[in-house]
Amino acid sequence: MTTTMRTRTLGSTGPQVSALGLGCMGMSALYAGADRAESLATIHAALEAGVTLLDTGDFYGMGHNELLIGEALRTAPAAHREQALTSVKFGALRDPDGGWSGYDGRPAAVRNFAAYSLQRLGTDHIDVYRIARLDPDVPIEETVGAIAELVEKGYVRHIGLSEVGADTIRRAAATAPITDLQIEYSLISRGIENEILPTARELGIAITAYGVLSRGLISGHFTRDRQLAAGDFRAFSPRFQGENLQRNLDLVDALRKIAEQQGASVAQIAIAWVLSRGEDIVPLVGARRRDRLAEALGALEVTLDAADLAAIEGAVPADAAAGDRYPAAQMAHLDSER
């Protein structure tokens, strides 16, 4: 992987990070077939390539993902380990059967979640800490205020947000400095462009964009006849169902023609489009294997001019996706969709 890593800054108060971050969720949860050795090798390869931002959640595999990252950091060369930044989401309540029971943003819970994350990661601080979804029973001011106390004590460096709307962003930013908003953003998930992205930019808050390949849907690798394995949450995702899937893959076919003209892969074009949206946007790529990581890093070498962007957005217009990005029960937890 010889791509020269570019950097971007997380908002007006945050750290400098690699222009692409590594989303590690799929190495532990929600997708079937992850391989531990390959996951560790992929994290090491990402660090070697200059990726500095590692994103996780304490509920990914009920702590498994943090332990995995902790092991990867512990066994990485010192120079790579020292440049790594951890971005952690907390607050999701799970049960032994893998079920979901809501979110807890109470200050006491924030401190509790952080204590366990620090132990699993094997670090003395978390670089960016955020509640995964807004707790409807706890004002965002209380949750952010509790993280701010952890910042004062040195356990957390920066405060982030996740999947919240413009009003919540303003209230959080009035409580403490906010570094970034983590939210889904891709060619087929562009809802943030209406109000959320302008609000974040007004307040000097960066976007860490997840789902840039829409969970593989617009990667160019998902086939029309693919059978998802047991335990793969995409089997319940509206965009992967029946006619929705066929319509969405029609969009991918249109995007593939543009990619071929560019001498790039579909995934690289989709990632490059997100990169083109602004220096305040850092895409998180969910590569679980070194070959997928190498492909994603190749997006940094793709240059898109105005004509290219027009062609891409003509092939995949805003609001062209068929189906919501989550099942209805999970959409109900998204403050960003209200």
Side-chain angles (χ1 to χ4, degrees):
M1 302 181 191
T2 58
T3 299
T4 301
M5 183 56 64
R6 303 198 299 269
T7 60
R8 294 184 170 182
T9 302
L10 290 186
S12 58
T13 63
Q16 187 178 79
V17 299
S18 51
L20 289 179
L22 182 64
C24 299
M25 180 192 76
M27 298 176 180
S28 301
L30 301 179
Y31 301 106
D35 178 87
R36 184 179 186 84
E38 182 61 24
S39 295
L40 290 168
T42 300
I43 296 173
H44 286 158
L47 293 172
E48 184 177 0
V51 173
T52 60
L53 185 62
L54 303 178
D55 183 78
T56 185
D58 62 9
F59 49 93
Y60 293 164
M62 277 67 84
H64 177 277
N65 203 238
E66 289 182 319
L67 290 167
L68 185 75
I69 291 173
E71 181 178 349
L73 292 176
R74 189 169 60 251
T75 55
H80 296 166
R81 182 170 61 250
E82 291 165 4
Q83 71 181 5
L85 302 175
T86 54
S87 170
V88 178
K89 292 178 291 298
F90 69 88
L93 303 175
R94 307 295 304 274
D95 61 40
D97 295 324
W100 303 81
S101 307
Y103 296 88
D104 193 345
R106 295 171 302 141
V110 174
R111 294 187 288 270
N112 178 77
F113 287 130
Y116 281 86
S117 285
L118 289 166
Q119 180 68 24
R120 286 188 290 258
L121 289 167
T123 59
D124 61 4
H125 71 275
I126 297 165
D127 291 287
V128 188
Y129 203 46
R130 69 188 87 239
I131 189 166
R133 300 288 186 268
L134 181 68
D135 182 343
D137 297 323
V138 178
I140 191 62
E141 291 86 351
E142 293 185 19
T143 303
V144 167
I147 304 175
E149 291 178 2
L150 293 174
V151 173
E152 291 176 2
K153 293 181 178 181
Y155 295 121
V156 170
R157 295 282 171 83
H158 304 281
I159 305 172
L161 298 171
S162 175
E163 285 289 357
V164 294
D167 179 64
T168 302
I169 295 170
R170 291 188 184 281
R171 289 168 53 198
T175 303
I178 303 298
T179 293
D180 70 311
L181 167 67
Q182 188 172 124
I183 196 164
E184 187 165 353
Y185 187 40
S186 72
L187 269 169
I188 63 171
S189 295
R190 297 175 58 182
I192 72 168
E193 294 174 346
N194 297 324
E195 185 178 12
I196 292 173
L197 180 56
T199 299
R201 285 177 165 162
E202 174 191 336
L203 298 172
I205 297 171
I207 300 292
T208 43
Y210 75 89
V212 294
L213 297 179
S214 197
R215 300 160 186 83
L217 182 59
I218 61 172
S219 67
H221 300 296
F222 203 94
T223 59
R224 294 179 186 272
D225 59 352
R226 179 172 174 179
Q227 298 296 311
L228 293 169
D232 192 318
F233 88 108
R234 291 173 293 186
F236 306 99
S237 173
R239 289 183 176 175
F240 288 83
Q241 304 300 310
E243 184 61 28
N244 285 350
L245 176 61
Q246 302 309 315
R247 289 169 56 190
N248 291 330
L249 291 180
D250 286 343
L251 300 175
V252 177
D253 288 341
L255 191 60
R256 193 185 309 276
K257 295 177 182 177
I258 297 170
E260 290 172 350
Q261 294 170 359
Q262 287 281 336
S265 72
V266 174
Q268 288 168 344
I269 291 294
I271 297 168
W273 180 87
V274 178
L275 282 165
S276 77
R277 298 298 85 194
E279 291 292 317
D280 55 349
I281 296 176
V282 176
L284 301 172
V285 295
R288 297 188 293 167
R289 302 186 336 226
R290 283 168 286 180
D291 59 337
R292 292 287 191 253
L293 173 65
E295 180 184 24
L297 291 173
L300 294 166
E301 304 300 323
V302 176
T303 300
L304 301 175
D305 61 23
D308 296 326
L309 293 171
I312 291 168
E313 293 173 21
V316 186
D319 301 322
D324 287 333
R325 54 195 182 99
Y326 285 107
Q330 294 182 43
M331 290 291 288
H333 288 293
L334 298 179
D335 181 67
S336 54
E337 294 287 342
R338 293 173 188 162

